[in-house]
Amino acid sequence: MDSTRTTARRVLREYGETYTHEAGIQLRNTPAPLYQLLVLCVLLSAPIRAATAVAAARELFAVGLRTPRSMAGSEWQDRVDALGRAHYRRYDESTATALGDGAQLLLERWHGDLRNVRDEAGGDLVRVRELLQEVPRIGPTGADIFCREVQAVWPELRPFVDGRVRGAASGLGLPRTPKALAALVPPREFVRLADGLVRVSLTPDAADRLRGA
């Protein structure tokens, strides 16, 4: 087995938990889990630790805010309180507002179903990213996170990598191009590899340790 495949397998083994799995989202191509992924992307879009954003998503889901209708119908203070329990500080009030406004937009424009975003975009990655950025708090980074995760159930977007994945891959001597990187692992494992590379980039000394193995 060549060195790049060996490195990719180590990334999978040591860092290959997806952020959707960590947040308790059982990702499927159905409205509720796709919306939960969007919520996670909103939370990850703030300049805050990823672990805190994931914990905040779990708190919101734990109080039943798992669909755009439940989010839009919730009290602003209840959203603030859930975020606070996860120590999602400084951005709790603005994020609570963004979540409510985004849920209302999703209901009104796309009937609460993010598959309609994909359909409006004709499955085109660039257009999907543009449409996602109409959601409050979702910018280029949030759109990239969504596409990186959702390719597990939207295969027409696969293989997708963002700048953070490419940077981490390059630092480990792995290919930077999506197709070459995807060729290192079975298709069903590619999202785990991409997220694993993100985790490597966020973990001090991880890249040095993997390179030195």
Side-chain angles (χ1 to χ4, degrees), residues 150-177:
V150 84
Q151 65 183 317
V153 293
W154 288 1
E156 62 269 38
L157 302 188
R158 191 188 306 146
F160 173 81
V161 299
D162 55 27
R164 185 176 285 276
V165 173
R166 287 194 298 272
S170 179
L172 291 175
L174 299 178
R176 289 173 53 91
T177 63

Side-chain angles (χ1 to χ4, degrees), residues 16-189:
E17 182 180 22
T18 66
Y19 285 99
T20 50
H21 182 270
E22 186 182 0
I25 301 168
Q26 296 182 5
L27 190 59
R28 298 185 299 275
N29 189 30
T30 54
L34 290 173
Y35 175 67
Q36 291 158 29
L37 171 57
L38 185 70
V39 169
L40 177 62
C41 293
V42 168
L43 297 168
L44 286 166
S45 294
I48 201 163
R49 292 177 64 246
T52 302
V54 168
R58 295 183 71 96
E59 284 289 342
L60 290 165
F61 302 153
V63 295
L65 304 184
R66 293 177 167 270
T67 68
R69 194 163 301 282
S70 62
M71 187 70 77
S74 65
E75 295 292 333
W76 177 82
Q77 188 61 54
D78 290 339
R79 300 194 294 272
V80 171
D81 291 345
L83 295 171
R85 288 192 295 274
H87 307 290
Y88 196 92
R89 306 299 186 191
R90 295 177 55 201
Y91 306 99
D92 52 351
E93 295 187 354
S94 62
T95 300
T97 299
L99 288 169
D101 292 346
Q104 195 61 45
L105 171 68
L106 184 56
L107 288 168
E108 292 174 357
R109 177 158 181 188
W110 293 298
H111 308 291
D113 189 344
L114 282 155
R115 293 175 299 183
N116 292 327
V117 172
R118 180 194 57 188
D119 292 345
E120 182 177 330
D124 178 72
L125 173 63
V126 173
R127 185 60 178 149
V128 167
R129 291 183 73 258
E130 289 175 349
L131 291 173
L132 288 169
Q133 290 177 68
E134 297 184 21
V135 177
R137 189 59 69 79
I138 295 287
T141 297
D144 282 348
I145 296 169
F146 186 92
C147 292
R148 193 179 72 221
E149 301 286 321
V150 84
Q151 65 183 317
V153 293
W154 288 1
E156 62 269 38
L157 302 188
R158 191 188 306 146
F160 173 81
V161 299
D162 55 27
R164 185 176 285 276
V165 173
R166 287 194 298 272
S170 179
L172 291 175
L174 299 178
R176 289 173 53 91
T177 63
K179 287 185 178 179
L181 193 59
L184 299 177
V185 296
R188 68 182 182 278
E189 303 286 5

Side-chain angles (χ1 to χ4, degrees), residues 187-208:
R188 68 182 182 278
E189 303 286 5
F190 183 63
V191 177
R192 290 183 57 227
L193 177 61
D195 276 14
L197 288 168
V198 172
R199 292 182 187 277
V200 168
S201 75
L202 296 173
T203 304
D205 301 325
D208 289 340

